[in-house]
Amino acid sequence: MYQTLDPRNFTVFITGATSGFGAAAARRYAEAGSRIIAVGRRQERLEALEKELGERCHTVELDVRDRAALETAVAAIPAPFDAINVVLANAGLALGLQPAAETDITDWETMVETNVKGVMYTVRALLPGLIARGGGHIVTMGSVAGDYSYPGASVYGASKAFVKQFALNLRSDVQGKKVRVTNIEPGLAETEFSVVRYKGDAERAAKHYERTQSMTAEDIAEAVFWATTMPAHVNINRIQMMATTQAFAPFDIYRED
């Protein structure tokens, strides 16, 4: 019989756990018997998640852009939740779809601070503990936008290209440390992602998913779960996922009037 890892032995640290992929992953691991540390900025949602998942869930209200607060929070995690061996660096966002010359520069800054610095801070705060405890798994949340460009996604795509390369380079840095690293790269998935991108315009966000079948947060959570429960001698470097109804965009050709 093929021997996968037992998720009942996992303590999973999840950023961006108040919605979307992070919340779905928290539920998937809790269902399998793992301990969950759910991290997010919205306290009321964290409280609801903790009530739903029960005593095996510990919550931390935190913005991953705040490095000092993140480091302090990690150091203060109580036993038995402090024996973290799976990290899902999921917190991230896209803001706007304006052309580069017209975008709000603060949107670019927020994406870099969250998608790049937030992932860096999360990994740096937790990786030494994984190594000291004999190994574990770092999972980063990338995007197909890290490989394939589209209009209005210059900094978002660049931030996800960073995440992809950061994860691949981590693989070299942890060689021999029994730490695995996986980058999950979703395409079209219906969550609050587009509501955030369109700054609360739910009607505009909904049009993005009209008349098509997108992936769900649960689809992405299942990929994360699968990668982390593979036998310890197997490292899944990257998982790139797209809805069956989505394909690669054609090359953009400018035509004069």
Side-chain angles (χ1 to χ4, degrees), residues 204-255:
R204 185 181 178 192
K207 290 183 182 299
H208 192 61
Y209 306 105
E210 281 184 351
R211 303 188 310 281
T212 192
Q213 185 171 358
S214 308
M215 294 184 293
T216 67
E218 289 73 24
D219 294 328
I220 310 309
E222 193 62 36
V224 174
F225 184 82
W226 173 78
T228 56
T229 53
M230 287 292 284
H233 69 279
V234 178
N235 190 94
I236 306 299
N237 298 331
R238 301 171 64 187
I239 301 178
Q240 190 172 98
M241 307 170 64
M242 298 175 75
T244 304
T245 55
Q246 182 183 30
F248 306 100
F251 284 110
D252 185 23
I253 300 173
Y254 173 73
R255 303 183 191 279

Side-chain angles (χ1 to χ4, degrees), residues 78-118:
F81 292 94
D82 57 342
I84 298 162
N85 51 12
V86 177
V87 176
L88 174 54
N90 165 74
L93 78 169
L95 290 173
L97 272 173
Q98 298 90 346
E102 302 169 17
T103 194
D104 182 343
I105 191 69
T106 60
D107 286 349
W108 280 4
E109 291 173 334
T110 300
M111 285 187 280
V112 169
E113 289 166 2
T114 307
N115 300 356
V116 175
K117 290 185 177 180

Side-chain angles (χ1 to χ4, degrees), residues 160-222:
K160 292 303 184 177
F162 168 86
V163 173
K164 174 187 67 179
Q165 197 61 38
F166 181 55
L168 291 173
N169 286 337
L170 279 174
R171 285 277 292 118
S172 295
D173 281 351
V174 299
Q175 182 73 309
K177 305 296 186 183
K178 297 183 179 179
V179 174
R180 302 187 294 178
V181 184
T182 301
N183 191 43
I184 309 292
E185 303 166 18
L188 185 68
E190 187 168 2
T191 64
E192 292 180 10
F193 176 85
S194 288
V195 177
V196 173
R197 165 166 264 172
Y198 298 130
K199 300 183 179 180
D201 189 339
E203 183 177 351
R204 185 181 178 192
K207 290 183 182 299
H208 192 61
Y209 306 105
E210 281 184 351
R211 303 188 310 281
T212 192
Q213 185 171 358
S214 308
M215 294 184 293
T216 67
E218 289 73 24
D219 294 328
I220 310 309
E222 193 62 36

Side-chain angles (χ1 to χ4, degrees), residues 39-171:
V39 179
R41 293 181 299 165
R42 291 174 283 190
Q43 181 62 31
E44 71 284 355
R45 290 202 179 188
L46 290 173
E47 290 172 356
L49 188 63
E50 186 172 18
K51 183 177 180 180
E52 174 189 345
L53 301 184
E55 62 181 12
R56 298 185 72 81
C57 178
H58 174 74
T59 61
V60 179
E61 184 182 4
L62 178 70
D63 187 334
V64 296
R65 295 175 295 178
D66 187 337
R67 179 169 60 88
L70 176 59
E71 292 169 351
T72 299
V74 168
I77 292 171
F81 292 94
D82 57 342
I84 298 162
N85 51 12
V86 177
V87 176
L88 174 54
N90 165 74
L93 78 169
L95 290 173
L97 272 173
Q98 298 90 346
E102 302 169 17
T103 194
D104 182 343
I105 191 69
T106 60
D107 286 349
W108 280 4
E109 291 173 334
T110 300
M111 285 187 280
V112 169
E113 289 166 2
T114 307
N115 300 356
V116 175
K117 290 185 177 180
V119 173
M120 287 166 39
Y121 297 160
T122 300
V123 171
R124 183 61 183 84
L126 290 154
L127 181 56
L130 266 65
I131 294 171
R133 287 186 290 274
H137 204 137
I138 298 281
V139 181
T140 52
M141 191 59 66
S143 168
V144 295
D147 272 350
Y148 307 106
S149 61
Y150 60 90
S154 49
V155 168
Y156 174 70
S159 73
K160 292 303 184 177
F162 168 86
V163 173
K164 174 187 67 179
Q165 197 61 38
F166 181 55
L168 291 173
N169 286 337
L170 279 174
R171 285 277 292 118

